Amino acid sequence: MIQTAKDFLARSFAPRSTIALLLRTESPDKTQQRIVTLEQALAPRYLGWLAHENHAGANVYVAANPLRSGSRQRTKECIDNVRHLYLDIDEDGDARLAALRASDAVPAATAILSTSPGKYQVFWRVGGFDFEQQELTLKRLAIAFGGDPACTDCNRVLRIPGFLNRKYSPAHCVAVEYPSAATYSPTDFRLPDAPVITALPLRGTARLGRAQQDSHSELDWAWACHQLAQGKDAGKLTHELASRRSDKPNPPYYAQRTIDVASARQWLLEGVSVEDIITMLKVRRDAELPTALCSARATEIAATAERMVARRKLA
Protein backbone atom coordinates (compact mmCIF):
# COMPACT_ATOMS: atom_id res chain seq x y z
CA MET A 1 0.00 0.00 0.00
CA ILE A 2 2.70 2.50 1.02
CA GLN A 3 4.84 1.62 -1.99
CA THR A 4 1.91 2.30 -4.37
CA ALA A 5 1.40 5.74 -2.84
CA LYS A 6 5.14 6.47 -2.95
CA ASP A 7 5.41 5.50 -6.63
CA PHE A 8 2.41 7.65 -7.53
CA LEU A 9 3.72 10.77 -5.79
CA ALA A 10 7.21 10.29 -7.26
CA ARG A 11 5.75 9.93 -10.77
CA SER A 12 3.39 12.87 -10.34
CA PHE A 13 5.72 15.62 -9.10
CA ALA A 14 9.19 16.89 -9.93
CA PRO A 15 11.97 16.67 -7.33
CA ARG A 16 11.88 19.43 -4.71
CA SER A 17 8.25 20.27 -5.52
CA THR A 18 6.08 21.69 -2.75
CA ILE A 19 2.87 19.67 -2.49
CA ALA A 20 -0.32 19.87 -0.42
CA LEU A 21 -1.70 16.79 1.33
CA LEU A 22 -5.20 16.71 2.78
CA LEU A 23 -6.57 14.23 5.30
CA ARG A 24 -10.32 14.27 5.86
CA THR A 25 -12.29 12.21 8.37
CA GLU A 26 -16.07 12.18 8.03
CA SER A 27 -17.01 10.89 11.48
CA PRO A 28 -16.05 12.89 13.42
CA ASP A 29 -15.72 15.67 10.87
CA LYS A 30 -12.02 16.58 10.86
CA THR A 31 -9.65 17.97 8.23
CA GLN A 32 -5.86 18.17 8.35
CA GLN A 33 -3.73 19.85 5.69
CA ARG A 34 0.01 19.44 5.38
CA ILE A 35 2.22 21.40 2.97
CA VAL A 36 5.54 19.63 2.50
CA THR A 37 8.23 19.01 -0.07
CA LEU A 38 7.98 15.91 -2.22
CA GLU A 39 11.04 14.48 -0.48
CA GLN A 40 9.42 14.92 2.94
CA ALA A 41 6.25 13.18 1.75
CA LEU A 42 8.25 10.25 0.35
CA ALA A 43 10.13 9.62 3.60
CA PRO A 44 9.20 6.22 5.13
CA ARG A 45 8.20 7.78 8.44
CA TYR A 46 5.89 10.30 6.77
CA LEU A 47 4.26 7.67 4.55
CA GLY A 48 3.82 5.51 7.63
CA TRP A 49 2.01 8.35 9.38
CA LEU A 50 -0.32 8.79 6.38
CA ALA A 51 -1.05 5.06 6.40
CA HIS A 52 -1.77 5.18 10.15
CA GLU A 53 -4.24 8.08 9.70
CA ASN A 54 -5.85 6.29 6.76
CA HIS A 55 -6.42 3.11 8.80
CA ALA A 56 -7.85 5.28 11.58
CA GLY A 57 -10.52 6.59 9.18
CA ALA A 58 -9.00 9.50 7.26
CA ASN A 59 -9.25 9.79 3.48
CA VAL A 60 -5.93 10.90 1.96
CA TYR A 61 -5.68 13.39 -0.92
CA VAL A 62 -3.03 15.39 -2.75
CA ALA A 63 -3.38 18.65 -4.68
CA ALA A 64 -3.05 17.89 -8.37
CA ASN A 65 -0.71 20.83 -8.96
CA PRO A 66 2.41 21.87 -7.00
CA LEU A 67 2.49 24.93 -4.76
CA ARG A 68 4.92 27.81 -4.74
CA SER A 69 7.86 27.29 -2.41
CA GLY A 70 7.12 28.73 1.00
CA SER A 71 3.34 28.49 0.65
CA ARG A 72 1.33 27.99 3.82
CA GLN A 73 -2.07 27.53 2.17
CA ARG A 74 -3.60 25.71 -0.81
CA THR A 75 -5.34 28.69 -2.41
CA LYS A 76 -5.42 29.25 -6.16
CA GLU A 77 -2.90 32.05 -5.72
CA CYS A 78 -0.46 29.58 -4.15
CA ILE A 79 -0.42 27.17 -7.11
CA ASP A 80 2.98 27.33 -8.80
CA ASN A 81 2.19 25.86 -12.23
CA VAL A 82 -0.15 23.57 -14.12
CA ARG A 83 1.24 20.07 -13.71
CA HIS A 84 -1.86 17.99 -14.47
CA LEU A 85 -5.22 17.92 -16.15
CA TYR A 86 -7.76 15.70 -14.43
CA LEU A 87 -11.22 14.25 -14.84
CA ASP A 88 -13.44 12.98 -12.03
CA ILE A 89 -15.88 10.31 -13.29
CA ASP A 90 -18.45 9.32 -10.69
CA GLU A 91 -21.46 8.32 -12.83
CA ASP A 92 -21.64 5.57 -15.51
CA GLY A 93 -17.93 5.18 -14.87
CA ASP A 94 -17.10 2.09 -16.90
CA ALA A 95 -18.90 3.30 -20.04
CA ARG A 96 -17.42 6.78 -19.82
CA LEU A 97 -13.92 5.46 -19.19
CA ALA A 98 -14.27 3.18 -22.23
CA ALA A 99 -15.31 6.15 -24.34
CA LEU A 100 -12.33 8.15 -23.10
CA ARG A 101 -9.87 5.34 -23.82
CA ALA A 102 -11.19 4.97 -27.37
CA SER A 103 -11.39 8.69 -28.17
CA ASP A 104 -8.88 10.38 -30.47
CA ALA A 105 -9.77 13.78 -28.95
CA VAL A 106 -7.47 13.19 -25.96
CA PRO A 107 -4.12 11.39 -25.55
CA ALA A 108 -3.60 8.34 -23.38
CA ALA A 109 -3.90 9.18 -19.69
CA THR A 110 -0.84 9.37 -17.47
CA ALA A 111 -2.67 7.68 -14.60
CA ILE A 112 -6.15 6.24 -14.06
CA LEU A 113 -7.27 5.80 -10.46
CA SER A 114 -10.09 3.43 -9.51
CA THR A 115 -11.40 5.25 -6.46
CA SER A 116 -14.36 2.91 -5.84
CA PRO A 117 -16.35 0.44 -7.97
CA GLY A 118 -17.33 2.21 -11.20
CA LYS A 119 -15.72 5.54 -10.22
CA TYR A 120 -12.47 6.92 -11.61
CA GLN A 121 -10.08 9.85 -11.50
CA VAL A 122 -7.99 10.37 -14.62
CA PHE A 123 -4.71 12.34 -14.79
CA TRP A 124 -2.74 13.75 -17.71
CA ARG A 125 0.73 15.20 -17.05
CA VAL A 126 0.99 18.41 -19.04
CA GLY A 127 3.28 21.31 -19.83
CA GLY A 128 2.71 24.66 -21.49
CA PHE A 129 -0.73 25.31 -19.95
CA ASP A 130 -1.56 28.56 -18.21
CA PHE A 131 -4.31 28.59 -15.58
CA GLU A 132 -6.97 29.90 -17.96
CA GLN A 133 -6.17 27.20 -20.53
CA GLN A 134 -6.28 24.56 -17.82
CA GLU A 135 -9.69 25.60 -16.52
CA LEU A 136 -11.19 25.74 -20.02
CA THR A 137 -9.76 22.31 -20.92
CA LEU A 138 -11.00 20.79 -17.65
CA LYS A 139 -14.50 22.04 -18.40
CA ARG A 140 -14.36 20.62 -21.92
CA LEU A 141 -13.12 17.27 -20.61
CA ALA A 142 -16.03 17.11 -18.17
CA ILE A 143 -18.51 17.98 -20.93
CA ALA A 144 -17.09 15.58 -23.50
CA PHE A 145 -16.78 12.56 -21.20
CA GLY A 146 -19.42 13.12 -18.53
CA GLY A 147 -17.10 14.04 -15.67
CA ASP A 148 -17.82 16.16 -12.62
CA PRO A 149 -18.22 19.75 -13.95
CA ALA A 150 -17.22 21.11 -10.53
CA CYS A 151 -13.75 19.53 -10.77
CA THR A 152 -12.13 22.43 -12.66
CA ASP A 153 -10.15 24.31 -10.00
CA CYS A 154 -6.36 24.51 -10.23
CA ASN A 155 -6.09 23.75 -6.47
CA ARG A 156 -8.30 20.63 -6.65
CA VAL A 157 -7.28 17.67 -4.46
CA LEU A 158 -7.59 14.10 -5.70
CA ARG A 159 -7.08 10.73 -4.06
CA ILE A 160 -3.74 9.02 -3.65
CA PRO A 161 -3.68 5.36 -4.80
CA GLY A 162 -2.62 2.75 -2.31
CA PHE A 163 -4.72 4.26 0.46
CA LEU A 164 -8.24 3.19 1.42
CA ASN A 165 -11.33 5.12 0.35
CA ARG A 166 -12.97 5.33 3.76
CA LYS A 167 -16.30 6.68 2.47
CA TYR A 168 -17.46 3.10 1.96
CA SER A 169 -17.94 0.05 4.15
CA PRO A 170 -16.01 -2.05 3.53
CA ALA A 171 -13.34 0.47 2.55
CA HIS A 172 -12.12 0.37 -1.06
CA CYS A 173 -8.39 0.38 -1.80
CA VAL A 174 -7.68 3.03 -4.45
CA ALA A 175 -5.91 1.32 -7.37
CA VAL A 176 -3.91 2.89 -10.22
CA GLU A 177 -2.69 2.09 -13.71
CA TYR A 178 -0.24 4.10 -15.82
CA PRO A 179 -1.18 4.00 -19.53
CA SER A 180 1.43 6.58 -20.58
CA ALA A 181 4.57 8.33 -19.31
CA ALA A 182 4.32 11.22 -21.80
CA THR A 183 3.94 14.91 -21.00
CA TYR A 184 1.31 16.61 -23.15
CA SER A 185 0.85 20.11 -24.54
CA PRO A 186 -2.40 22.03 -25.23
CA THR A 187 -2.38 20.91 -28.88
CA ASP A 188 -2.70 17.26 -27.79
CA PHE A 189 -6.24 17.91 -26.54
CA ARG A 190 -8.64 18.33 -29.47
CA LEU A 191 -11.80 18.83 -27.48
CA PRO A 192 -14.87 20.37 -29.11
CA ASP A 193 -17.19 22.77 -27.41
CA ALA A 194 -20.29 21.15 -25.94
CA PRO A 195 -23.23 21.01 -28.38
CA VAL A 196 -25.40 22.18 -25.49
CA ILE A 197 -24.33 22.86 -21.95
CA THR A 198 -27.59 21.52 -20.52
CA ALA A 199 -26.47 18.03 -21.58
CA LEU A 200 -24.43 18.08 -18.35
CA PRO A 201 -25.90 16.80 -15.08
CA LEU A 202 -25.84 20.27 -13.53
CA ARG A 203 -25.29 20.33 -9.77
CA GLY A 204 -26.82 22.66 -7.22
CA THR A 205 -28.65 25.62 -8.71
CA ALA A 206 -26.29 26.20 -11.66
CA ARG A 207 -28.05 27.30 -14.83
CA LEU A 208 -27.16 28.79 -18.16
CA GLY A 209 -26.57 32.52 -18.44
CA ARG A 210 -27.85 34.59 -21.30
CA ALA A 211 -24.49 34.74 -23.05
CA GLN A 212 -24.32 30.93 -23.15
CA GLN A 213 -27.90 30.65 -24.38
CA ASP A 214 -27.06 32.83 -27.38
CA SER A 215 -23.90 30.91 -28.37
CA HIS A 216 -23.34 29.30 -31.75
CA SER A 217 -23.57 25.89 -30.12
CA GLU A 218 -27.02 26.70 -28.76
CA LEU A 219 -28.14 27.78 -32.23
CA ASP A 220 -26.76 24.53 -33.66
CA TRP A 221 -28.71 22.61 -31.03
CA ALA A 222 -31.97 24.35 -31.86
CA TRP A 223 -31.38 23.79 -35.57
CA ALA A 224 -30.65 20.07 -35.06
CA CYS A 225 -33.78 19.54 -32.94
CA HIS A 226 -35.95 21.32 -35.51
CA GLN A 227 -34.52 19.43 -38.49
CA LEU A 228 -34.90 16.05 -36.80
CA ALA A 229 -38.48 16.87 -35.80
CA GLN A 230 -39.15 17.52 -39.50
CA GLY A 231 -37.94 14.01 -40.33
CA LYS A 232 -34.62 14.99 -41.93
CA ASP A 233 -31.96 12.33 -42.37
CA ALA A 234 -29.47 12.23 -39.46
CA GLY A 235 -26.52 11.32 -41.70
CA LYS A 236 -27.09 14.31 -43.98
CA LEU A 237 -27.58 16.61 -41.00
CA THR A 238 -24.31 15.40 -39.47
CA HIS A 239 -22.43 16.10 -42.69
CA GLU A 240 -24.04 19.53 -43.06
CA LEU A 241 -23.31 20.57 -39.50
CA ALA A 242 -19.68 19.44 -39.72
CA SER A 243 -19.27 21.49 -42.93
CA ARG A 244 -20.84 24.56 -41.33
CA ARG A 245 -18.72 24.37 -38.18
CA SER A 246 -15.23 24.05 -39.61
CA ASP A 247 -14.16 26.43 -36.82
CA LYS A 248 -14.45 23.58 -34.34
CA PRO A 249 -11.29 21.65 -33.32
CA ASN A 250 -12.97 18.41 -34.47
CA PRO A 251 -16.01 19.22 -36.66
CA PRO A 252 -17.07 15.58 -37.32
CA TYR A 253 -17.06 14.75 -33.62
CA TYR A 254 -18.99 17.89 -32.77
CA ALA A 255 -21.58 17.23 -35.47
CA GLN A 256 -22.01 13.55 -34.59
CA ARG A 257 -22.55 14.28 -30.92
CA THR A 258 -24.94 17.18 -31.51
CA ILE A 259 -27.13 15.17 -33.88
CA ASP A 260 -27.04 12.02 -31.78
CA VAL A 261 -27.90 13.72 -28.48
CA ALA A 262 -30.76 15.55 -30.24
CA SER A 263 -31.95 12.27 -31.77
CA ALA A 264 -31.86 10.42 -28.45
CA ARG A 265 -33.81 13.23 -26.80
CA GLN A 266 -36.47 13.16 -29.52
CA TRP A 267 -36.81 9.38 -29.35
CA LEU A 268 -37.29 9.52 -25.57
CA LEU A 269 -40.00 12.15 -25.97
CA GLU A 270 -41.68 9.82 -28.48
CA GLY A 271 -41.68 6.97 -25.95
CA VAL A 272 -38.83 4.85 -27.34
CA SER A 273 -37.10 2.73 -24.68
CA VAL A 274 -33.55 3.50 -23.60
CA GLU A 275 -32.38 0.04 -24.73
CA ASP A 276 -33.74 0.64 -28.23
CA ILE A 277 -32.16 4.10 -28.36
CA ILE A 278 -28.76 2.65 -27.49
CA THR A 279 -29.17 0.06 -30.25
CA MET A 280 -30.18 2.68 -32.83
CA LEU A 281 -27.25 4.93 -31.94
CA LYS A 282 -24.83 2.00 -32.23
CA VAL A 283 -26.23 1.00 -35.62
CA ARG A 284 -26.02 4.60 -36.83
CA ARG A 285 -22.31 4.97 -36.05
CA ASP A 286 -20.93 1.43 -36.19
CA ALA A 287 -19.27 2.04 -39.56
CA GLU A 288 -17.61 5.24 -38.34
CA LEU A 289 -16.37 4.37 -34.85
CA PRO A 290 -14.45 1.53 -33.16
CA THR A 291 -16.74 -1.03 -31.54
CA ALA A 292 -15.77 -0.24 -27.94
CA LEU A 293 -16.21 3.49 -28.41
CA CYS A 294 -19.45 3.07 -30.36
CA SER A 295 -21.11 1.04 -27.59
CA ALA A 296 -19.89 3.17 -24.69
CA ARG A 297 -20.72 6.36 -26.54
CA ALA A 298 -24.28 5.21 -27.30
CA THR A 299 -24.87 4.34 -23.64
CA GLU A 300 -23.51 7.69 -22.45
CA ILE A 301 -25.54 9.70 -24.99
CA ALA A 302 -28.75 7.89 -24.04
CA ALA A 303 -28.07 8.66 -20.36
CA THR A 304 -27.42 12.31 -21.20
CA ALA A 305 -30.70 12.52 -23.11
CA GLU A 306 -32.54 10.91 -20.17
CA ARG A 307 -31.28 13.63 -17.84
CA MET A 308 -32.31 16.33 -20.30
CA VAL A 309 -35.83 14.95 -20.59
CA ALA A 310 -36.10 14.54 -16.80
CA ARG A 311 -35.14 18.17 -16.26
CA ARG A 312 -37.62 19.25 -18.93
CA LYS A 313 -40.43 17.47 -17.06
CA LEU A 314 -39.41 19.14 -13.80
CA ALA A 315 -39.18 22.63 -15.31
Side-chain angles (χ1 to χ4, degrees):
M1 181 176 84
I2 291 178
Q3 188 62 45
T4 299
K6 181 178 181 179
D7 290 345
F8 175 78
L9 292 172
R11 284 171 174 261
S12 298
F13 298 98
R16 296 179 294 281
S17 293
T18 298
I19 65 174
L21 298 166
L22 187 73
L23 291 83
R24 181 179 295 144
T25 304
E26 297 189 17
S27 181
D29 188 9
K30 178 183 176 183
T31 299
Q32 303 178 68
Q33 182 165 275
R34 298 289 186 270
I35 297 176
V36 297
T37 65
L38 176 64
E39 287 70 21
Q40 288 173 313
L42 296 180
R45 186 173 179 179
Y46 203 94
L47 288 169
W49 173 72
L50 291 175
H52 170 77
E53 291 294 309
N54 183 230
H55 278 291
N59 289 289
V60 184
Y61 306 86
V62 64
N65 293 313
L67 278 61
R68 295 175 181 171
S69 178
S71 295
R72 294 176 179 271
Q73 302 179 61
R74 184 179 45 85
T75 63
K76 291 183 178 181
E77 293 73 23
C78 293
I79 300 300
D80 185 42
N81 60 78
V82 176
R83 176 76 173 178
H84 294 105
L85 298 182
Y86 30 89
L87 180 67
D88 196 333
I89 303 174
D90 58 10
E91 294 181 9
D92 304 321
D94 294 323
R96 293 180 180 186
L97 185 62
L100 185 146
R101 290 180 188 273
S103 174
D104 62 359
V106 294
T110 303
I112 300 175
L113 277 59
S114 173
T115 59
S116 61
K119 298 186 178 184
Y120 302 94
Q121 290 176 342
V122 185
F123 288 74
W124 291 266
R125 185 182 306 139
V126 297
F129 279 81
D130 60 29
F131 294 117
E132 183 178 354
Q133 283 177 306
Q134 182 200 33
E135 184 174 349
L136 178 60
T137 305
L138 291 176
K139 289 179 179 178
R140 288 177 171 172
L141 281 167
I143 290 168
F145 298 105
D148 183 350
C151 189
T152 58
D153 297 329
C154 63
N155 59 339
R156 173 69 55 171
V157 295
L158 300 166
R159 291 187 181 274
I160 300 176
F163 292 117
L164 297 171
N165 182 342
R166 307 295 307 205
K167 291 178 67 175
Y168 299 92
S169 181
H172 178 85
C173 186
V174 180
V176 64
E177 60 175 293
Y178 299 105
S180 173
T183 298
Y184 301 110
S185 69
T187 57
D188 292 314
F189 294 83
R190 299 175 294 278
L191 292 160
D193 293 330
V196 56
I197 300 300
T198 51
L200 283 174
L202 296 178
R203 301 183 181 224
T205 58
R207 291 295 183 268
L208 290 173
R210 289 301 308 168
Q212 290 171 311
Q213 289 177 349
D214 295 334
S215 70
H216 286 170
S217 294
E218 288 291 328
L219 295 174
D220 291 340
W221 172 254
W223 172 83
C225 290
H226 176 74
Q227 295 295 315
L228 288 166
Q230 299 300 311
K232 300 295 179 64
D233 179 73
K236 292 180 179 178
L237 293 177
T238 301
H239 179 75
E240 181 178 347
L241 183 55
S243 299
R244 286 169 40 182
R245 296 308 306 271
S246 59
D247 59 307
K248 292 292 184 182
N250 189 339
Y253 174 91
Y254 172 80
Q256 286 176 353
R257 184 168 180 82
T258 301
I259 298 302
D260 288 353
V261 173
S263 295
R265 174 183 172 275
Q266 179 177 304
W267 289 331
L268 281 170
L269 293 174
E270 293 173 352
V272 180
S273 71
V274 172
E275 292 76 13
D276 287 344
I277 290 171
I278 292 171
T279 299
M280 289 189 288
L281 290 172
K282 288 164 61 177
V283 170
R284 177 183 288 180
R285 303 298 179 191
D286 64 356
E288 305 169 27
L289 300 170
T291 301
L293 174 58
C294 190
S295 179
R297 177 184 175 280
T299 301
E300 186 271 321
I301 285 176
T304 296
E306 276 192 294
R307 290 192 294 271
M308 295 172 70
V309 171
R311 284 195 296 273
R312 179 176 183 266
K313 293 178 179 177
L314 291 172

